[in-house]
Amino acid sequence: MSVVYGRFAFRVLSSFPFRNSFLRRRGLTHLLYFTSGAAPADSAKPTARAATLSPGNNSLSPTPFSPNLSVSSVESLTAHQKDQISLYVRTLLQWNEKMNLTAVTEESEVMTRHVEDSLAILPPLQRSYLSHCAKSTSLEGLNVVDVGSGAGLPGMILAIACPSWKFTLLESMKKRCYFLEHIVTLIGLSNVQILCERAESVGQCADFRELFDVAVARAVAEMRILAEYCLPLVRVGGLFVAAKGADPQEEVKRAENSIQLLGASILELCTVESHSPKGQRTSVICVKDRATPRKYPRQAGTPAKLPL
């Protein structure tokens, strides 16, 4: 079976529980059954602190970080997951010689700047979801979309770390989607699908609108723009998690009205001591309180040109 996207045809390896009309029109590059697996072990070396951002105030008020959800790192993964990560990194660098996937060219640097950085999103995501979104104490079967996935960061890394979760990697550039599809097949991930389309189009489609428990994004756009890409995809009661730099307070403050307009509120900023050159990253966590107005997201390109 093939899915046609313009002059390109992509294999569909198996059926998928989403409705298929949009997928046939838009070109879903990789479809797989979702299966369950063991969660990664709880141990880690980066430290983190969570903080809330008071409305109309730039100051951060520290809140306790859950002792039951340690910050994930490569060391916390199983041997099989570590092998999958290593295969991903080697393949990324090989493909990077022919196409622009990352500015990082050393394997060790990919591990510290990309892999560890992606895994650092997990603990605040888990803690916030359990405390504000979950109807039970289980995180099994969480449905996650990685918006602007690029080379699969953080979505591919999180899919390896959390095999019982379901991941959709949303990326608009075909060449990057080819790479992502290759990685999924090479590593043998059964909990990932690749969607080659713009976030603005997907967010207006009933097949995906307000479908996901969590939307994550890393190194895509400023918060005002990113919120319009991500929040229409998140179900009411779900989370939007943006991986940002060491000092995103001003950017987050500028985005407060946009986030509220799109149906969400800022839950907290969680600072993670990472191994990146700047030594620190921040996860901005928003909880979706109500449905996003139907007119959002606007037409492709508009959010970036005219941020809310």
Side-chain angles (χ1 to χ4, degrees):
M1 179 180 178
S2 294
V3 174
V4 178
Y5 187 99
R7 63 185 179 87
F8 299 98
F10 303 96
R11 291 173 298 130
V12 177
L13 299 189
S14 67
S15 60
F16 193 76
F18 293 155
R19 293 189 294 277
N20 292 323
S21 60
F22 180 80
L23 307 184
R24 293 194 183 97
R25 288 197 307 274
R26 297 294 187 178
L28 184 61
T29 64
H30 212 90
L31 291 171
L32 295 159
Y33 279 118
F34 290 150
T35 59
S36 297
D42 287 330
S43 65
K45 61 184 177 182
T47 58
R49 66 178 178 86
T52 55
L53 182 67
S54 303
N57 192 333
N58 285 334
S59 63
L60 292 172
S61 304
T63 58
F65 190 77
S66 172
N68 297 320
L69 293 169
S70 301
V71 177
S72 293
S73 69
V74 173
E75 284 73 15
S76 73
L77 303 179
T78 66
H80 177 61
Q81 288 169 328
K82 290 177 183 178
D83 289 342
Q84 290 178 309
I85 292 284
S86 295
L87 183 55
Y88 165 83
V89 171
R90 292 196 302 271
T91 307
L92 171 65
L93 292 176
Q94 290 170 0
W95 280 59
N96 197 52
E97 294 177 0
K98 299 179 181 179
M99 65 172 68
N100 182 24
L101 292 169
T102 175
V104 179
T105 58
E106 297 295 329
E107 186 170 336
S108 60
E109 199 173 3
V110 173
M111 293 297 294
T112 56
R113 292 185 61 177
H114 290 328
V115 175
E116 290 278 5
D117 201 52
S118 295
L119 290 171
I121 295 173
L122 269 178
L125 187 162
Q126 292 170 318
R127 179 177 50 79
S128 296
Y129 193 87
L130 286 174
S131 61
H132 293 87
C133 307
K135 296 179 180 179
S136 69
T137 58
S138 175
L139 288 167
E140 292 293 307
L142 214 62
N143 194 6
V144 181
V145 59
D146 177 16
V147 178
S149 188
L153 301 163
M156 196 74 74
I157 304 302
L158 298 182
I160 292 171
C162 303
S164 68
W165 294 8
K166 300 170 285 189
F167 287 85
T168 296
L169 308 190
L170 176 57
E171 171 56 45
S172 63
M173 294 185 65
K174 295 188 186 73
K175 66 178 183 179
R176 291 176 181 169
C177 290
Y178 293 144
F179 168 75
L180 294 173
E181 184 183 61
H182 175 72
I183 286 291
V184 168
T185 303
L186 183 67
I187 294 178
L189 293 175
S190 58
N191 61 336
V192 177
Q193 67 170 359
I194 311 302
L195 180 54
C196 190
E197 184 51 85
R198 292 188 66 111
E200 299 98 321
S201 300
V202 177
Q204 282 292 355
C205 177
D207 292 289
F208 297 99
R209 187 177 178 86
E210 299 191 331
L211 174 71
F212 298 95
D213 298 309
V214 179
V216 297
R218 176 180 180 269
V220 176
E222 67 154 294
M223 281 296 296
R224 291 181 299 167
I225 301 168
L226 199 55
E228 190 168 357
Y229 291 161
C230 294
L231 283 170
L233 298 170
V234 179
R235 68 169 177 84
V236 175
L239 292 182
F240 161 41
V241 182
K244 289 293 179 180
D247 188 25
Q249 285 90 337
E250 285 298 324
E251 179 184 343
V252 172
K253 182 173 175 58
R254 289 196 304 269
E256 281 184 357
N257 291 336
S258 303
I259 291 169
Q260 291 175 6
L261 179 63
L262 293 161
S265 56
I266 299 168
L267 185 61
E268 64 183 14
L269 276 66
C270 183
T271 302
V272 177
E273 301 297 331
S274 78
H275 300 284
S276 64
K278 294 185 178 179
Q280 194 177 78
R281 299 283 290 176
T282 304
S283 291
V284 182
I285 303 177
C286 303
V287 61
K288 188 160 179 179
D289 308 305
R290 59 198 182 282
T292 299
R294 189 65 211 182
K295 64 181 179 179
Y296 302 112
R298 292 166 292 171
Q299 291 184 345
T302 305
K305 293 177 182 176
L306 300 170
L308 294 173

